[in-house]
């Protein structure tokens, strides 16, 4: 399955909708994630700077209901982009929280405060995405 292909996008949708593996962290952390996810509705466009390709993930009511690859992030609520090298690092096991914190994956469009209110939910979704081969 190729990276940033329609087949990969659907596998990502399934993975992020299922949620991350819940080991190695306190139960209260996962409770926070569950509360942040409950009823969550937004669209994320995650891009590759060099190619201009975006993975668009649509969330409705806490479920990831759509995933597609496109050259245009359209009206996504949050547009983030990273270099090919950063995407490779994520897929090779880099810590998603660090990648976001050190601006490897940068928020380019969207309400910063609203985005960071659910940052751990986003980071855990990014971790689930990174595990898709």
């Amino acid at each position: 399955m190729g990276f940033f292909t329609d087949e990969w996008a659907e596998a990502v949708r399934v993975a992020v909708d299922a949620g991350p593996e819940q080991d190695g962290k306190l139960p209260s952390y996962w409770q926070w994630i569950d509360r942040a996810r409950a009823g969550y509705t937004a669209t994320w466009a995650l891009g590759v700077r060099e190619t201009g390709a975006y993975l668009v993930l649509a969330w409705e009511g806490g479920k990831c209901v759509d995933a597609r690859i496109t050259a245009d992030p359209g009206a996504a609520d949050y547009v983030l982009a990273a270099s090919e090298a950063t995407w490779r690092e994520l897929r090779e096991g880099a810590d998603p929280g660090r990648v976001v914190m050190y601006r490897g994956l940068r928020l380019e469009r969207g309400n910063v405060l609203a985005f960071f209110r659910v940052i751990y939910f986003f980071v855990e979704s990014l971790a689930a995405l990174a595990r898709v081969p």
Side-chain angles (χ1 to χ4, degrees):
M1 169 175 10
F3 182 57
F4 267 72
T5 63
D6 291 332
E7 182 183 25
W8 178 80
E10 178 57 19
V12 166
R13 188 200 64 73
V14 169
V16 298
D17 193 48
E21 298 174 9
Q22 295 190 5
D23 56 348
K25 295 180 180 150
L26 295 172
S28 59
Y29 176 81
W30 297 114
Q31 291 166 358
W32 188 94
I33 298 292
D34 291 342
R35 281 192 308 273
R37 181 178 178 150
Y40 184 78
T41 298
T43 305
W44 304 340
L46 310 175
V48 180
R49 282 195 190 97
E50 291 85 348
T51 66
Y54 289 89
L55 166 66
V56 177
L57 298 173
W59 294 87
E60 290 179 15
K63 294 288 206 184
C64 188
V65 296
D66 187 38
R68 58 187 156 66
I69 303 299
T70 182
D72 180 9
D77 298 296
Y78 303 104
V79 177
L80 299 99
S83 67
E84 288 177 342
T86 298
W87 281 110
R88 185 173 40 260
E89 290 169 10
L90 276 167
R91 297 180 77 210
E92 292 173 353
D95 181 290
R98 282 181 180 247
V99 169
V100 173
M101 182 171 54
Y102 292 116
R103 300 179 56 131
L105 180 64
R106 298 177 88 169
L107 181 64
E108 296 182 343
R109 187 176 79 207
N111 183 310
V112 174
L113 294 176
F115 179 76
F116 279 97
R117 249 186 304 189
V118 296
I119 190 61
Y120 296 114
F121 166 58
F122 176 79
V123 165
E124 293 300 336
S125 297
L126 190 57
L129 176 157
R131 286 192 289 276
V132 174

